[in-house]
Amino acid sequence: MRAVALLVVVTACSSGDGHASEPPGGDGGAGGDATSPASDGGAPMGNDAGGGPGFDASPVSSGLGPAQFGPGQLDPPSDGASITFEQIGAAGWYPSIRDPATGPCNVDQDAGSCCLAQDNLTSSDLTPWDEELIMTLRGPMLIKQLAVYQPASSQAGSAWSLVSAWDDRTPGQMPGLAYQGDATPNTPFTGGVGSECLVNVSTAQPFPCGPGSVPYCTSSSSNKDYGWAGSKLLVILATMPHAGATGTPTSCSTTTTGNWYDASWVGLSVGELVRAGSFSSCQCYAKNPAKGYLADGCGQFNVFEVVNDNDSSKNLDVFSTDLIDYSGYVGQGPCGPVCNVSTLPAAADLIDKTNDTEATAGAVATPASGPSAAFRRPETGYRYFLIDLDVASRTVQLAMVHPQNIPAAIAGLLPALPGTIPQATVSSVLSLRLPH
């Protein structure tokens, strides 16, 4: 989630529109206490996938199969979109929470109530995004399928296994997944997430919260599961209609004036950030928790985020995309009214922010340069959202694909979402430059 104050502190991209995030939980968000925790509903995933020591594999060998669409659920085929982040990862450190009773508390904070240890990362291979990450969904959003793939082994060229899965045709079955939070007021996740509602999505492997846990989380934490570590490919089949549209899930907001009203979001956070609970005086988001606006801590990735904020950055039709952590800010924030989707062809999924036209090819970004492109919010039909975080190549690939315009190169993945995919298919996902 976002705080306008960060715009002044964090430099971003070549276009100068950087806009960084507020800690998720500032208003009861991604780290907030959940009143209706959902069942974890499945065996832990594993292999070379996220989780803790001794993590055992229980892949979803059968796969999900192609989704089924009802009348009016598909809009006309669109052109697709991709943004590729290269050279991602940096050595550095962030403050990691420790049990005040055991420490160490070697970051300059009050050890009596907040014990923070310096967690040093020496690799530059996708750090910190190679760590275990938990996903947060903010509505309005309707999801048909959700799948997570990870390498089946540590050997180069290994096939990737479907390790976590959910399908709206069998909503009670969620192998390898756990949900926490309110998808609509006081209800767990069943596929729809209302405006300003938040749901955390993780593996189903419990994290040992309690005394002495590292990183520390209290035994009363609402979120007590591991995220996915290492390389991972997340696939979400979803649409994001505007709040109040027919069929939109019930909102968690009581007014239409909140900063996150009608602002859909898919975010990824380092696991301890979510397990710490609601953001207060002790968390890993910033090196000094009293200066959370610096966001120079453990990391949060605003993957697909509609920015409201009720200010000049507001644009409910376009996604902002950025990574922010101890090493700085990568990506670009919202383009506000500069991106006017009403002038674009209906088939356009990627906006060239330099001239407010449809991009001719997928955008590429590095820590030194923003992508100068933005994803268009799918308001009336479903899209596959692909999030591929590849450690070996230090690449983060994001893509949107219409179910009726799937590139031949990734036909081994979509629409079947099989139980196993070859490394070649993952490489094809990384190579997408949509539209082209």
Side-chain angles (χ1 to χ4, degrees):
M1 301 187 198
R2 298 187 173 274
V4 177
L6 296 185
L7 181 60
V8 179
V9 179
V10 184
T11 58
C13 49
S14 57
S15 67
D17 63 352
H19 198 72
S21 262
E22 175 183 299
D27 68 343
D33 293 337
T35 58
S36 300
S39 167
D40 63 20
M45 35 72 74
N47 296 318
D48 190 36
F55 205 32
D56 189 22
S58 296
V60 188
S61 58
S62 60
L64 288 179
Q68 295 178 354
F69 297 95
Q73 290 187 331
L74 284 175
D75 56 349
S78 60
D79 297 334
S82 70
I83 296 179
T84 308
F85 291 89
E86 299 177 337
Q87 304 171 32
I88 300 302
W93 71 273
Y94 64 81
S96 184
I97 307 172
R98 296 293 183 268
D99 186 344
T102 58
C105 310
N106 57 14
V107 174
D108 186 18
Q109 297 298 324
D110 177 11
S113 59
C114 180
C115 179
L116 296 173
Q118 186 167 310
D119 194 344
N120 295 300
L121 284 71
T122 59
S123 171
S124 60
D125 293 343
L126 210 71
T127 47
W129 313 107
D130 62 330
E131 299 200 358
E132 45 109 5
L133 305 181
I134 292 175
M135 180 167 60
T136 301
L137 307 174
R138 183 177 68 210
M141 189 179 304
L142 294 166
I143 296 176
K144 277 191 173 294
Q145 293 179 313
L146 193 155
V148 182
Y149 291 86
Q150 294 196 272
S153 77
S154 59
Q155 295 181 346
S158 169
W160 287 43
S161 297
L162 178 62
V163 295
S164 302
W166 183 88
D167 193 297
D168 69 348
R169 291 167 292 191
T170 54
Q173 301 175 26
M174 50 186 79
L177 279 183
Y179 293 97
Q180 299 287 346
D182 287 348
T184 61
N186 301 311
T187 62
F189 179 79
T190 57
V193 184
S195 177
E196 295 196 60
C197 300
L198 291 138
V199 174
N200 293 318
V201 187
S202 65
T203 79
Q205 187 193 14
F207 186 92
C209 289
S213 57
V214 179
Y216 179 63
C217 48
T218 66
S219 55
S220 61
S221 171
S222 298
N223 302 276
K224 290 187 284 189
D225 295 293
Y226 281 96
W228 297 275
S231 294
K232 46 249 176 190
L233 168 60
L234 297 89
V235 183
I236 308 166
L237 178 57
T239 183
M240 299 177 184
H242 285 294
T246 301
T248 304
T250 304
S251 296
C252 288
S253 52
T254 57
T255 70
T256 63
T257 58
N259 278 357
W260 299 287
Y261 177 77
D262 196 20
S264 307
W265 179 48
V266 176
L268 290 170
S269 303
V270 170
E272 80 164 271
L273 189 62
V274 178
R275 289 188 297 269
S278 58
F279 282 76
S280 55
S281 60
C282 190
Q283 38 82 9
C284 67
Y285 187 73
K287 290 180 177 177
N288 182 346
K291 297 181 179 180
Y293 55 85
L294 293 177
D296 57 351
C298 54
Q300 185 179 80
F301 182 9
N302 298 299
V303 190
F304 301 98
E305 182 180 27
V306 173
V307 174
N308 186 332
D309 281 359
N310 285 313
D311 62 11
S312 59
S313 297
K314 180 176 180 178
N315 188 325
L316 302 183
D317 301 315
V318 178
F319 290 120
S320 172
T321 299
D322 50 73
L323 306 95
I324 184 167
D325 58 49
Y326 57 84
S327 66
Y329 182 104
V330 182
Q332 286 182 332
C335 47
V338 173
C339 295
N340 182 4
V341 301
S342 67
T343 65
L344 298 175
D349 286 322
L350 188 66
I351 302 169
D352 184 335
K353 295 165 67 173
T354 63
N355 54 22
D356 194 29
T357 61
E358 180 179 14
T360 57
V364 178
T366 70
S369 176
S372 297
F375 293 102
R376 183 179 188 171
R377 175 181 182 170
E379 304 168 2
T380 59
Y382 282 83
R383 300 291 186 277
Y384 288 102
F385 292 83
L386 307 181
I387 309 168
D388 192 349
L389 299 101
D390 187 72
V391 174
S393 65
R394 300 179 60 199
T395 299
V396 175
Q397 173 75 312
L398 308 179
M400 279 174 45
V401 175
H402 192 285
Q404 293 179 321
N405 191 19
I406 297 171
I410 60 170
L413 173 67
L414 304 178
L417 293 173
T420 303
I421 56 175
Q423 174 63 48
T425 296
V426 180
S427 298
S428 293
V429 171
L430 291 172
S431 299
L432 290 175
R433 297 295 183 268
L434 300 174
H436 61 73

